[in-house]
Amino acid sequence: MIAGLLLHALAVAASAGMGLPPPPPFSPAGKPAAPVVAEPAADPASTADLDVANIERTPRYNYDAAKNNPAPGDLVTFSGHIRNTGDGTVASVSYEWRLNDAPVASGTLTNLAVDEERVVTWSWTWQAGDHWIKLVVDPGNVIAESSEVNNQVVDRTNGIIVGFWVEQSVYDYFGTHQKDLGVGSNSWDDWAQRQMGFWNQFSQNAIYPTTPNGVLDRVRIDKIVVVPDGALPLAGGYPTNHPDLGDKTVDLMWGFPATLLDGSMYSNHTSASMGNPFYYEGSLLHELGHARYLIDTYGFDVHNTAHNGGHDSIQIWEGDIYVGGSSYMPYLAWGEVLYYNKYGMMMSGGYDEGWSEYDAGALNRIAGQRACCGNYNAPGNIGVFLNDLPANNHLRITDEVGQPRRGANVRIYRATSGPGWYGKTIDNTPDLEFSTDNAGYAHLPRNPFTAGSIQHTYGIANSIMVLRISHLDQIWYRFQEVTDFNIEYWRGNTQNAYYSIELPGPNETPVSADFDGDGDVDQEDFGHLQVCLTGSGGAIVSGCENAVLDGDTDVDAADLAIFVNCISGADVSADPDCLD
Ligand SMILES: [Ca+2]
Ligand SMILES: [Ca+2]
Ligand SMILES: [Ca+2]
Ligand SMILES: [Ca+2]
Ligand SMILES: [Zn+2]
């Protein structure tokens, strides 16, 4: 790609001198189904190659400007970058613009020298919604090329705007060696498009109950700026995270300094595997996830290592038994891992697994929005969603068959600051205490995690808490992340959210108003209650123990009220939650 300062001049020259036909009237059709056409086969003997690098969209808007997006009716220009990445001059080659897969403009480039890049443009009257702009070079496959798969770029017109700054040596190194992968990429631009292609594919695939349509946004590479070695960062900060802090036209930025070539990161030129950054650089997607505002979900992990210079410390004792690493809270690995985060995947380091339900829910929370508080890693709004908490949180404790554990004692141990990234200290004093009701619920407040706000950063991760539950002489310890609370909030349960924890071991006989066990609560069950009534404070007759519905020691008006609430009628299934 051309140097940044030349971008504008070249684009102007290209659009002025190319003699493009005027754009045809736009047909407001939806995106048609892609026609089924065979991908042209590459010719391995050919040394010719044409490459569509990326598509810019102008005018550009700063993300923090009052007008930061095109409005319907605005004229928008797409500028496509076409390069000759082959070994000889290309005398003539055609190209075609397509909108929603329908051809809208075409033209011919002549005398394209080796490594020469031309910019071709097409203007469009902006429309809201999802549209797809595509630029194809050699659409009729007149020229046999060593790669035919790098002949097009397709962007969603309203994609989140990505800018990459790359130092010359990195750009050239990829230009020389990408073809050795044998997957059709033949330039740094092709590599970069593949990375964002993975982002978009992961987004499409991220279908969960919280995100039934996947991650809604797509990304598009608006800007690739090649700069001299050593030039990054252009305006302070780090060369990777902040390649140009002066640029607010993009929503996500990343820089590629020449020093990346010093180590072995890009030394494997031939393995098209998800673990090879020269093919797929998963850490780039992870870091850009931060730039969008996602958090490190591995920060929910609990390692019991503070005494060895690590970050976390569990300080809970059960009598004279130290809980960490005991049967109450066994180590999961390495003699120090007490907990692994629940949702995993991209932001937990599983780069090739795509977005987790948690990542996806957070991304959709700001779908369609420009950057707000920084377009680099890390922005000012990183993790702001951690404090999306339902007003009331109902935690149900059950046995393994889903029967409630009534009258269980639930204690919450909060995390406070600890050394290092996502450090946490959980001391021996419980912070909150609850008793479960007849349906097994502990009714937790909006934020049981901390008296302040949720933090998940260097020096503190109070985004996870320890639950100690005791019932019928049994004791269990469990970890609870804030993620489940956030997800309930995103699903629309902002007032009341419900959670459950199953705990193994004996439970009392299930309490039910279905005294005769035939599935309903009807007249026959009422007969049993009637016989068993003691009045307030009265003594229970033998055989009437199951008529105590409210957990005390009599059968009185309170039990009758619960029973009435449970009446289902003959042969109608009783509501298991009617005792609540
Ligand atoms: Ca090609
Ligand atoms: Ca071709
Ligand atoms: Ca019954
Ligand atoms: Ca009672
Ligand atoms: Zn990270």
Side-chain angles (χ1 to χ4, degrees):
M1 188 62 44
I2 49 184
L5 291 176
L6 292 177
L7 268 175
H8 181 69
L10 259 184
V12 169
S15 57
M18 293 270 308
L20 270 182
F26 172 67
S27 159
K31 187 185 180 224
V36 179
V37 289
E39 194 81 48
D43 176 358
S46 171
T47 57
D49 189 33
L50 293 146
D51 186 0
V52 176
N54 76 309
I55 301 172
E56 301 174 66
R57 195 192 79 192
T58 54
R60 293 189 168 97
Y61 303 96
N62 284 354
Y63 65 75
D64 59 355
K67 176 181 170 71
N68 65 3
N69 274 309
D74 287 355
L75 193 66
V76 167
T77 298
F78 296 105
S79 300
H81 293 247
I82 297 174
R83 283 183 75 207
N84 177 359
T85 41
D87 285 353
T89 298
V90 173
S92 175
V93 64
S94 64
Y95 62 87
E96 183 174 80
W97 288 99
R98 296 176 189 165
L99 183 71
N100 299 325
D101 270 333
V104 289
S106 60
T108 302
L109 303 175
T110 55
N111 295 319
L112 196 58
V114 172
D115 285 337
E116 185 181 351
E117 177 170 298
R118 301 268 177 90
V119 178
V120 300
T121 64
W122 182 65
S123 293
W124 178 52
T125 302
W126 182 262
Q127 294 199 346
D130 299 343
H131 302 277
W132 298 85
I133 183 72
K134 180 190 283 188
L135 176 62
V136 188
V137 66
D138 191 27
N141 196 21
V142 173
I143 300 172
E145 301 166 55
S146 58
S147 171
E148 300 287 354
V149 298
N150 61 353
N151 285 33
Q152 65 177 45
V153 165
V154 56
D155 286 339
R156 208 170 80 185
T157 53
N158 58 1
I160 299 299
I161 303 168
V162 175
F164 288 137
W165 281 255
V166 53
E167 291 188 351
Q168 189 72 51
S169 290
V170 176
Y171 190 79
D172 293 344
Y173 179 90
F174 279 63
T176 302
H177 297 296
Q178 268 295 304
K179 63 176 177 293
D180 300 342
L181 284 171
V183 296
S185 51
N186 193 21
S187 64
W188 190 88
D189 316 87
D190 290 348
W191 174 87
Q193 291 290 355
R194 182 166 60 239
Q195 308 315 306
M196 295 300 93
F198 275 115
W199 177 299
N200 287 334
Q201 189 65 52
F202 289 145
S203 297
Q204 183 176 330
N205 292 351
I207 292 171
Y208 302 103
T210 307
T211 55
N213 298 308
V215 169
L216 301 173
D217 279 331
R218 296 292 179 269
V219 291
R220 44 175 284 272
I221 305 177
D222 191 68
K223 186 179 278 191
I224 295 174
V225 185
V226 180
V227 298
D229 286 5
L232 298 179
L234 300 182
Y238 296 119
T240 48
N241 298 44
H242 320 105
D244 185 359
L245 283 175
D247 190 313
K248 292 183 170 182
T249 68
V250 301
D251 296 311
L252 302 170
M253 65 168 61
W254 196 254
F256 300 85
T259 50
L260 290 173
L261 301 177
D262 292 346
S264 60
M265 182 171 175
Y266 295 133
S267 63
N268 180 341
H269 302 160
T270 55
S271 172
S273 76
M274 295 296 275
N276 179 10
F278 197 64
Y279 175 74
Y280 169 62
E281 187 173 327
S283 60
L284 172 64
L285 277 68
H286 176 101
E287 298 304 335
L288 288 177
H290 287 315
R292 187 64 178 148
Y293 87 152
L294 297 182
I295 58 166
D296 281 322
T297 51
Y298 64 75
F300 296 117
D301 295 353
V302 179
H303 304 265
N304 203 26
T305 53
H307 55 291
N308 289 330
H311 300 169
D312 307 333
S313 176
I314 296 286
Q315 301 175 347
I316 302 171
W317 290 75
E318 192 64 61
D320 58 0
I321 299 172
Y322 174 61
V323 165
S326 75
S327 60
Y328 292 115
M329 189 186 283
Y331 287 129
L332 305 179
W334 318 115
E336 55 97 337
V337 179
L338 290 172
Y339 178 72
Y340 283 124
N341 70 91
K342 179 173 178 179
Y343 291 94
M345 304 178 71
M346 179 70 76
M347 298 312 292
S348 182
Y351 301 146
D352 59 346
E353 299 167 33
W355 307 118
S356 73
E357 181 166 18
Y358 187 65
D359 301 334
L363 287 171
N364 279 1
R365 182 182 176 277
I366 55 167
Q369 297 177 23
R370 299 283 320 263
C372 80
C373 316
N375 52 1
Y376 45 82
N377 176 1
N381 60 336
I382 188 168
V384 66
F385 46 82
L386 286 160
N387 286 287
D388 291 347
L389 304 170
N392 303 287
N393 296 285
H394 309 281
L395 175 62
R396 191 176 200 221
I397 310 294
T398 73
D399 61 21
E400 286 182 301
V401 293
Q403 290 298 324
R405 291 190 177 276
R406 309 167 70 204
N409 176 270
V410 179
R411 295 176 188 171
I412 286 174
Y413 295 79
R414 290 171 167 170
T416 55
S417 61
W421 276 103
Y422 313 114
K424 46 189 91 72
T425 303
I426 298 177
D427 68 24
N428 195 31
T429 306
D431 299 282
L432 297 172
E433 188 164 8
F434 303 88
S435 183
T436 58
D437 65 16
N438 278 336
Y441 281 105
H443 298 284
L444 310 184
R446 172 181 173 272
N447 187 354
F449 294 86
T450 171
S453 60
I454 306 283
Q455 298 173 78
H456 187 85
T457 185
Y458 189 89
I460 184 168
N462 58 18
S463 46
I464 186 164
M465 61 188 181
V466 168
L467 301 172
R468 177 193 184 275
I469 301 137
S470 60
H471 187 225
L472 304 177
D473 296 326
Q474 303 160 97
I475 296 169
W476 304 265
Y477 281 86
R478 293 292 184 273
F479 289 93
Q480 176 64 51
E481 300 177 8
V482 74
T483 51
D484 292 331
F485 286 50
N486 302 148
I487 281 177
E488 283 301 314
Y489 192 94
W490 300 337
R491 289 181 180 179
N493 302 317
T494 58
Q495 284 304 305
N496 288 289
Y498 295 84
Y499 316 88
S500 65
I501 294 179
E502 267 183 25
L503 297 173
N507 196 1
E508 63 195 356
T509 306
V511 174
S512 170
D514 176 19
F515 301 121
D516 61 4
D518 67 351
D520 61 19
V521 177
D522 65 359
Q523 191 63 38
E524 290 164 352
D525 302 295
F526 181 68
H528 178 72
L529 185 81
Q530 219 171 5
V531 168
C532 290
L533 279 171
T534 65
S536 182
I540 293 170
V541 180
S542 178
C544 283
E545 293 84 357
N546 65 353
V548 179
L549 296 176
D550 63 357
D552 63 10
T553 57
D554 59 19
V555 181
D556 65 357
D559 304 278
L560 179 62
I562 292 172
F563 181 87
V564 168
N565 190 48
C566 285
I567 292 173
S568 63
D571 301 328
V572 176
S573 288
D575 174 6
D577 292 330
C578 66
L579 297 168
D580 193 7

